[in-house]
Amino acid sequence: MGTVDVDNTEAIGSFLSDTAAKVFVAGHRGLVGSAIHRKLLSLGFANLLIRTHAELDLTRQADVEAFFAAERPRYVIVAAAKVGGIHANSTYPADFIAVNLQIQTNIIDAALRCAGGSVRKLLFLGSSCIYPKHAPQPIPESALLSGPLEPTNEWYAVAKIAGIKMCQAYRLQHGLDAISAMPTNLYGPQDNFHPENSHVLPALIRRFHKAKVMGAKEVVVWGTGSPLREFLHVDDLADGVVFLMDRYSGLEHVNLGSGKEVTIKELAEMVKEVVGFDGELVWDNTKPDGTPRKLMDSSMLAGMGWEAKIPLREGLVDTYKWYVENVIDQ
């Protein structure tokens, strides 16, 4: 296995030069995994290991162990997870905690035990929503486990926190070079545009597009539009993941955000313009605003020399194009 000094956070500089190596991208069909897959292909990685759920059920320990024994990947990126909105989390709490625990435990443990210690490095992806409900703003890495979780997704959060801690434990006890990244709010191709459980950005794209097509005179959005949010395009996330695979081998998880805030009002007006809706944008001030501010402190990653490159408007144009070409007829 990839044995490391647990306190080492210096650049190891091996991943980007190792394009012939086998890289297992778990969850390659999702928003995050598909972006990482695209990024690795663009960098010339020629031996990417990808499996659909039908081909490899990551919740089955024996199947995961057999896959690792047969393929012996050198690098592993864990982007596979069971995700969903508030309704799904409250309806299927057992699924959200059990499936995520099974997936990450099976992969991380199989990476450790892979024959000949073939796995040199593993990266596990967390989520900014697993920080405490009342975390300080901007949210530093040290805020994890410093207070109560958001009740609406605590099952998912507990599982993801366990994954981060498992990476740390396997590094400390076994010397497995396992690191974790904590992305902020993501958007881009392969996003979820479902009318009932999508997040704010894809929901706005869907609503403005529908209003444009139907010739509606206005689109009503809840609240005042004053809350501040941070967004990161998934292609920037993929770039950050590759950067960490190449340059970071520390115990602490690393926040991965854009560092740029936008009000919901500014976001809605930008989406309106990108979609080409000519009607009026109306704010329903009788409805709640939600959390006033949610921003990650990504200064640790910035200190290593990485920053997001895709401006929000450019990313929205890209995302809307993908939505028109792939979603609206479904």
Side-chain angles (χ1 to χ4, degrees), residues 181-225:
M182 196 82 92
T184 188
N185 299 316
L186 302 170
Y187 73 100
Q190 302 289 343
D191 208 339
N192 172 25
F193 291 88
H194 192 280
E196 293 179 6
N197 58 20
S198 58
H199 292 135
V200 59
L201 194 152
L204 285 172
I205 288 176
R206 187 182 189 280
R207 291 184 64 194
F208 278 113
H209 178 81
K210 184 178 179 182
K212 181 179 78 168
V213 171
M214 295 181 66
K217 294 182 178 180
E218 65 180 32
V219 168
V220 179
V221 181
W222 280 18
T224 65

Side-chain angles (χ1 to χ4, degrees), residues 20-302:
K22 287 185 175 182
V23 183
F24 176 38
V25 181
H28 75 283
R29 283 185 161 180
L31 171 67
V32 173
S34 62
I36 294 170
H37 185 229
R38 288 193 303 271
K39 180 67 175 180
L40 293 175
L41 285 174
S42 74
L43 291 170
F45 282 84
N47 286 312
L48 298 181
L49 301 176
I50 55 175
R51 295 291 187 275
T52 64
H53 177 73
E55 293 168 332
L56 176 61
D57 184 347
L58 295 171
T59 68
R60 298 178 63 88
Q61 182 181 6
D63 292 358
V64 175
E65 289 178 348
F67 167 79
F68 271 78
E71 295 292 349
R72 297 182 64 187
R74 188 173 298 169
Y75 302 102
V76 178
I77 298 173
V78 188
K82 181 176 179 60
V83 298
I86 294 174
H87 176 73
N89 271 267
S90 61
T91 306
Y92 308 107
D95 291 352
F96 276 89
I97 192 168
V99 171
N100 283 303
L101 283 172
Q102 288 164 349
I103 289 172
Q104 62 207 34
T105 300
N106 290 341
I107 294 175
I108 295 168
D109 195 65
L112 171 72
R113 304 184 189 285
C114 196
S118 67
V119 176
R120 183 176 295 176
K121 190 164 194 169
L122 177 146
L123 183 143
F124 176 77
L125 282 155
S127 169
S128 62
C129 70
I130 73 177
Y131 278 117
K133 182 176 182 178
H134 301 295
Q137 300 292 330
I139 307 171
E141 284 87 356
S142 59
L144 191 66
L145 292 174
S146 64
L149 301 170
E150 168 57 58
T152 58
N153 76 325
E154 63 178 336
W155 320 107
Y156 172 82
V158 165
K160 280 292 186 179
I161 292 169
I164 291 171
K165 290 300 175 183
M166 189 171 181
C167 286
Q168 294 175 344
Y170 272 52
R171 172 180 289 272
L172 290 169
Q173 184 173 335
H174 299 297
L176 179 67
D177 190 1
I179 62 174
S180 298
M182 196 82 92
T184 188
N185 299 316
L186 302 170
Y187 73 100
Q190 302 289 343
D191 208 339
N192 172 25
F193 291 88
H194 192 280
E196 293 179 6
N197 58 20
S198 58
H199 292 135
V200 59
L201 194 152
L204 285 172
I205 288 176
R206 187 182 189 280
R207 291 184 64 194
F208 278 113
H209 178 81
K210 184 178 179 182
K212 181 179 78 168
V213 171
M214 295 181 66
K217 294 182 178 180
E218 65 180 32
V219 168
V220 179
V221 181
W222 280 18
T224 65
S226 63
L228 288 159
R229 293 293 183 268
E230 175 187 26
F231 296 96
L232 183 72
H233 193 284
V234 282
D235 288 348
D236 270 336
L237 167 71
D239 186 69
V241 164
V242 168
F243 181 90
L244 289 171
M245 286 291 290
D246 191 62
R247 301 284 295 276
Y248 182 70
S249 288
L251 182 68
E252 185 66 73
H253 67 274
V254 181
N255 283 348
L256 210 172
S258 66
K260 295 179 174 63
E261 292 178 289
V262 61
T263 66
I264 296 299
K265 186 174 188 294
E266 290 168 335
L267 175 67
E269 289 171 345
M270 200 179 298
V271 171
K272 177 179 180 287
E273 178 194 348
V274 167
V275 171
F277 175 65
D278 295 327
E280 187 179 358
L281 172 56
V282 178
W283 295 93
D284 183 354
N285 297 340
T286 66
K287 295 294 193 286
D289 267 334
T291 306
R293 188 187 190 202
K294 188 179 179 185
L295 173 68
M296 297 231 295
D297 180 353
S298 297
S299 57
M300 180 178 174
L301 182 58

